[in-house]
Amino acid sequence: MIQKEARRYVAERDYHIIHFLAVKLECLARRYLAIAKFGRMLQARKARCATLIQACWRKHAGRRKFQRTVTSIVLIQSMMRKHKARRSFVAQKQHATAIQAIVRRTIASQRVDNMRQIREHDKKANAEAKAAATDGVQRE
């Protein structure tokens, strides 16, 4: 009976030790798996964050490039409109100058014609007056 109790005690002690070690080993294994899973989750999170940062940076860089392109296009369009307006203004000014020259030439021509007509009229009037004066002197 003592031997039986001793074997039972040794078996129970061995069982508790083995059970304790098995639980400890299982706890360590679960801890290792949890740490590994946490590490993978952390790596995945870091990868997602890095991808998000890269995407935001590419978006920012793309917008900045697009904005520069739009600004350049608007500047070029503005310069072209300015060039066309200036060219149109110069052409209109040349046309206006040509019209003014034609009008001034026409007015000057009309003045010269009027002056000739007045001079011819005065010559005729003077000639008639002389002729009348000479006729009047001869009649006397």
Side-chain angles (χ1 to χ4, degrees):
M1 180 97 152
I2 293 178
Q3 207 174 18
K4 176 181 162 188
E5 286 297 320
R7 278 193 305 254
R8 184 189 66 77
Y9 174 76
V10 169
E12 195 174 312
R13 186 188 70 190
D14 288 345
Y15 170 77
H16 284 297
I17 291 172
I18 292 172
H19 180 67
F20 174 77
L21 291 175
V23 168
K24 197 71 164 162
L25 183 64
E26 188 177 342
C27 180
L28 289 173
R30 285 183 179 163
R31 180 178 175 209
Y32 173 78
L33 291 174
I35 289 172
K37 184 178 179 182
F38 180 73
R40 287 191 305 270
M41 285 175 31
L42 194 58
Q43 284 293 87
R45 184 174 181 191
K46 284 181 181 179
R48 282 194 309 271
C49 289
T51 303
L52 181 64
I53 290 169
Q54 289 169 356
C56 288
W57 176 253
R58 282 193 300 268
K59 179 180 174 182
H60 171 72
R63 280 187 182 178
R64 192 171 56 191
K65 183 179 178 183
F66 175 74
Q67 194 61 38
R68 280 192 211 133
T69 304
V70 168
T71 303
S72 299
I73 289 171
V74 168
L75 180 64
I76 290 169
Q77 287 175 341
S78 172
M79 291 173 72
M80 287 302 295
R81 281 193 293 271
K82 178 181 174 182
H83 176 70
K84 284 175 102 176
R86 184 170 292 187
R87 198 169 53 195
S88 174
F89 174 74
V90 168
Q92 287 177 355
K93 190 174 180 183
Q94 288 174 345
H95 293 301
T97 304
I99 291 170
Q100 286 175 346
I102 290 170
V103 168
R104 286 180 182 147
R105 185 174 57 228
T106 304
I107 291 171
S109 175
Q110 288 174 352
R111 282 184 185 164
V112 168
D113 288 343
N114 285 341
M115 290 172 73
R116 281 185 189 154
Q117 287 175 359
I118 290 171
R119 193 177 297 156
E120 287 175 12
H121 179 59
D122 287 346
K123 280 183 184 179
K124 282 183 185 179
N126 285 340
E128 288 175 6
K130 280 184 183 179
T134 54
D135 279 344
V137 172
Q138 287 178 358
R139 283 189 195 172
E140 293 181 6

